Amino acid sequence: MKLKKNAFIFLNIVVPLILGLIIYVFMKNGTYINTFLKTESDYYPESILGVFIVNWFCDFLWAYALLFLLYFVLFPFQNRIAISSVMTFVLGTILEILQKFDVLTGTFDWWDIVIETIAVIVSVINLFFINKKFATEK
């Protein structure tokens, strides 16, 4: 049962990262990954959904995957959902603040912090369902 749960958690780490990579490669220009891969996208979002995907969905995916990764590696801790949640929120906020003061490249955006907070909430809800599902299966 533990192997199934760990595999499920692993998928919640890898799938969002792969999806985010695909978005960065095919829908965003001017990023480190575009420079590294020497790719350019001619995609220009024309809908609200397209704008959301290009501007904020990758932040959501990053925060979602990070929380699951922290949850996975913090297995010795009893309150690892809470610890993972706080660490993900704090790290995301710090990275945005570092962008604000030009310590890191990127564009500071309050919406990034909001979206990453939503990702933390969605991840926690998902983890509770996963834990409940695997606790009842024996």
Side-chain angles (χ1 to χ4, degrees):
M1 207 43 53
K2 187 147 178 103
L3 182 62
K4 274 186 174 179
K5 181 180 177 184
N6 287 343
F8 201 77
I9 289 170
F10 181 75
L11 286 175
N12 277 274
I13 298 166
V14 173
V15 171
L17 292 177
I18 291 171
L19 184 56
L21 178 64
I22 290 168
I23 292 168
Y24 265 87
V25 169
F26 295 109
M27 298 176 82
K28 292 186 77 131
N29 284 322
T31 62
Y32 289 123
I33 196 76
N34 289 120
T35 304
F36 178 74
L37 296 176
K38 297 182 172 123
T39 62
E40 268 199 45
S41 168
D42 59 355
Y43 177 76
Y44 182 78
E46 296 182 14
S47 68
I48 293 172
L49 180 61
V51 171
F52 172 77
I53 290 171
V54 168
N55 292 316
W56 298 291
F57 192 54
C58 288
D59 292 309
F60 178 92
L61 294 169
W62 169 83
Y64 183 92
L66 178 62
L67 192 138
F68 270 87
L69 177 65
L70 289 171
Y71 174 82
F72 184 74
V73 299
L74 294 172
F75 66 89
F77 295 92
Q78 190 169 12
N79 295 324
R80 62 185 175 153
I81 291 178
I83 295 167
S84 302
S85 301
V86 170
M87 288 176 70
T88 300
F89 174 77
V90 169
L91 181 60
T93 303
I94 288 171
L95 290 174
E96 284 300 316
I97 291 169
L98 291 175
Q99 290 175 23
K100 171 81 171 162
F101 295 105
D102 294 323
V103 176
L104 292 177
T105 58
T107 306
F108 171 80
D109 186 2
W110 285 107
W111 282 108
D112 286 348
I113 296 172
V114 170
I115 294 298
E116 290 165 5
T117 303
I118 292 169
V120 167
I121 293 165
V122 169
S123 301
V124 168
I125 291 168
N126 198 7
L127 274 170
F128 279 123
F129 283 119
I130 291 169
N131 285 336
K132 185 177 181 181
K133 175 185 174 25
F134 287 102
T136 58
E137 288 183 9
K138 294 213 179 197

